[in-house]
Amino acid sequence: ATWLGHACYYVEFPNGLRVLFDPVFEDRCSPFQWLGPKRYTEPPCQIRDIPIIDAVVISHSHYDHLSYPTVKEISERHPNCHFFAPLGNKEWFTQSGINNMTELDWWDQREITLSPSETPTELQKTDDASKAADIRARIGCLPCQHASGRSPFDQSVTLWSSWSVEAGGSKVYFAGYVISMT
C-alpha cells in the first residue's frame, strides 16, 4: 500500500489487482480550482505516473474524497478501470460520462474478475502454463459514521461508507482516512 496524500491510497494485491482509494490529485478540494482548501504538499505522483488502475473506490462525495478532474482523468487514462461508490452516487458518475461504475449499499458485495489480455507478447510461452490467471476480488461496502455532500443543498443525500477488498489472499479495510491490511 502506498499513501498518496490525505485519504488516497494505492494498493497492489498479491494476485495483481491494483486499487486506488479516494483519489484526489488537485491543488484544491472544491468546485473551483482557485478557491477552497489547498494542499500543504504536492501530490507524490500524478495519475499519468500510475501504470495500472483496475478499480477506484470512493468513500463519500466530499470534494476531498471525490474529485471530478481526478476521476475524469483516471477514466480516460485507464478505460477498463471500474469505479465503486456508496449508494446515491451513480447519477454523479453518469453525468460525468463514466458508466463503468457500481454503487453499493452497506453490506452489499460484488465479485469482480479481471482477465489478462489475450494478445500474446514476446515473453509469453506457447504452452498453457504460461497463460496468466484471472484476477479475482471481492469488494464490500460497509457502514461507517460520517456525512456526504457537495453543496449546502445535498447534505447526506448520498451514502458514505467504509470498504473491504479481498484479493489474492490479502484483505484491506478502508475507512475513508485509515487503511488496515491483513
Side-chain angles (χ1 to χ4, degrees), residues 21 142-144 162-165 171-175 178-181:
F21 293 89
L142 300 169
C144 75
S162 55
W163 293 87
S164 65
V165 179
K171 298 177 185 178
V172 166
Y173 172 75
F174 177 69
V178 178
I179 196 163
S180 174
M181 300 180 298

Side-chain angles (χ1 to χ4, degrees), residues 67-77 83 92 96-98:
S67 161
Y68 175 79
T70 293
V71 166
K72 219 30 200 169
E73 185 176 344
I74 290 169
S75 72
E76 290 166 4
R77 289 184 179 273
F83 293 83
W92 183 91
S96 299
I98 299 168

Side-chain angles (χ1 to χ4, degrees), residues 82-100:
H82 197 88
F83 293 83
F84 292 87
L87 202 61
N89 286 286
K90 188 167 186 70
E91 182 180 347
W92 183 91
F93 279 88
T94 301
Q95 289 177 352
S96 299
I98 299 168
N99 297 310
N100 200 14

Side-chain angles (χ1 to χ4, degrees):
T2 303
W3 179 58
L4 300 177
H6 189 50
C8 182
Y9 289 88
Y10 182 66
V11 179
E12 299 176 86
F13 288 82
N15 66 349
L17 179 71
R18 292 174 180 101
V19 180
L20 192 58
F21 293 89
D22 281 359
V24 174
F25 288 85
E26 284 68 52
D27 286 334
R28 296 190 181 270
C29 295
S30 93
F32 313 104
Q33 288 303 298
W34 49 270
L35 179 70
K38 186 167 175 29
R39 280 182 173 275
Y40 288 109
T41 59
E42 292 290 318
C45 67
Q46 296 299 315
I47 297 166
R48 67 179 171 270
D49 301 324
I50 303 173
I52 298 170
I53 303 172
D54 297 312
V56 171
V57 175
I58 303 295
S59 64
H60 62 289
S61 64
H62 288 161
Y63 284 95
D64 59 338
H65 295 260
L66 177 58
S67 161
Y68 175 79
T70 293
V71 166
K72 219 30 200 169
E73 185 176 344
I74 290 169
S75 72
E76 290 166 4
R77 289 184 179 273
H78 303 274
N80 294 326
C81 177
H82 197 88
F83 293 83
F84 292 87
L87 202 61
N89 286 286
K90 188 167 186 70
E91 182 180 347
W92 183 91
F93 279 88
T94 301
Q95 289 177 352
S96 299
I98 299 168
N99 297 310
N100 200 14
M101 187 274 171
T102 299
E103 68 175 12
L104 298 175
D105 197 354
W106 287 350
W107 302 114
D108 285 349
Q109 294 183 13
R110 290 296 181 273
E111 302 281 335
I112 62 170
T113 302
L114 305 173
S115 296
S117 172
E118 296 294 329
T119 307
T121 66
E122 288 183 47
L123 300 175
Q124 288 179 324
K125 298 179 185 174
T126 56
D127 61 7
D128 288 339
S130 69
K131 290 184 180 177
D134 287 346
I135 296 171
R136 299 183 192 286
R138 178 181 300 122
I139 297 179
C141 182
L142 300 169
C144 75
Q145 293 184 351
H146 196 51
S148 62
R150 296 178 75 78
S151 78
F153 309 106
D154 69 348
Q155 294 302 297
S156 299
V157 170
T158 62
L159 194 61
W160 50 90
S161 65
S162 55
W163 293 87
S164 65
V165 179
E166 185 175 350
S170 291
K171 298 177 185 178
V172 166
Y173 172 75
F174 177 69
Y177 286 100
V178 178
I179 196 163
S180 174
M181 300 180 298
T182 60

